[in-house]
Amino acid sequence: MGRKEDIISAVFSMLIGVMLIVMKGQVVSIAITVFAVIVLISAVIDLFHKLTNSAIVKGVLGVCILIFGWVFVSVALYLLAAAIIIMGLLRLVNMHKFLPEDMTYEQKLFAYARPALTVLAGVCLLFNQGGAVNWVFILTGVLLVAEGVLDVADALKSNKGQGGTALSIIDADKDE
């Protein structure tokens, strides 16, 4: 990827990050709606191509997603929470079985902390889906913004070594 593409990608990453921070859980609603509309448009296209059975299935699926979208998300979040809790518990059991006996108290504390935090995260997701989802989106948004800023800084820094400015990056990419 050229420097111009790196900067565009970084800016896009920052925009998505800001959107996740500002909109939080609303992003899921928007994504569900967009997905349902895409499925419905696909159904209409199938209908024009005289693929009636496919159009009917896609149309029903699209309407179901529009109407019951949050039910699907909620079920998926419950399943995810259960999987996270089980994974954390299995790690705790394995830690207990396979940790060396000669570890110090601090080492054992740090070894057990990660699976215990995994179980705690699963419990939080299980009982507070809205709040947990919001925090996940905020954290993801912050990480995307930070990554975008670092990518822009890196692209500009690599260009400074060549004696250029941010605008000359775009001009140089036109010449390539």
Side-chain angles (χ1 to χ4, degrees), residues 63-84:
V63 170
C64 286
I65 292 171
L66 276 175
I67 295 172
F68 302 112
W70 269 106
V71 173
F72 296 138
V73 171
S74 191
V75 168
L77 288 174
Y78 282 126
L79 292 173
L80 177 64
I84 290 171

Side-chain angles (χ1 to χ4, degrees), residues 86-132:
I86 290 169
M87 184 180 67
L89 291 173
L90 288 174
R91 283 188 180 174
L92 281 171
V93 168
N94 284 336
M95 288 263 187
H96 184 68
K97 285 182 181 178
F98 299 113
L99 272 182
E101 297 282 329
D102 60 343
M103 290 179 74
T104 66
Y105 174 74
E106 290 85 17
Q107 290 172 329
K108 285 183 181 180
L109 182 66
F110 284 120
Y112 281 107
R114 191 166 142 203
L117 288 174
T118 301
V119 171
L120 182 64
V123 169
C124 287
L125 183 58
L126 186 64
F127 293 111
N128 185 15
Q129 285 184 356

Side-chain angles (χ1 to χ4, degrees), residues 3 6-7 10 147-161 169:
R3 283 186 218 117
D6 288 343
I7 291 176
E147 179 183 359
V149 168
L150 291 174
D151 286 347
V152 167
D154 187 45
L156 293 177
K157 186 170 96 176
S158 67
N159 191 45
K160 274 189 176 178
I169 292 172

Side-chain angles (χ1 to χ4, degrees), residues 9-25 27-28 77 80 125 131-151:
S9 175
V11 168
F12 188 65
S13 174
M14 288 187 288
L15 289 174
I16 291 174
V18 168
M19 186 177 74
L20 289 174
I21 292 168
V22 172
M23 297 176 72
K24 297 175 210 103
V27 172
V28 175
L77 288 174
L80 177 64
L125 183 58
V133 169
N134 284 343
W135 279 106
V136 167
F137 281 119
I138 290 170
L139 180 62
T140 303
V142 168
L143 292 174
L144 283 171
V145 169
E147 179 183 359
V149 168
L150 291 174
D151 286 347

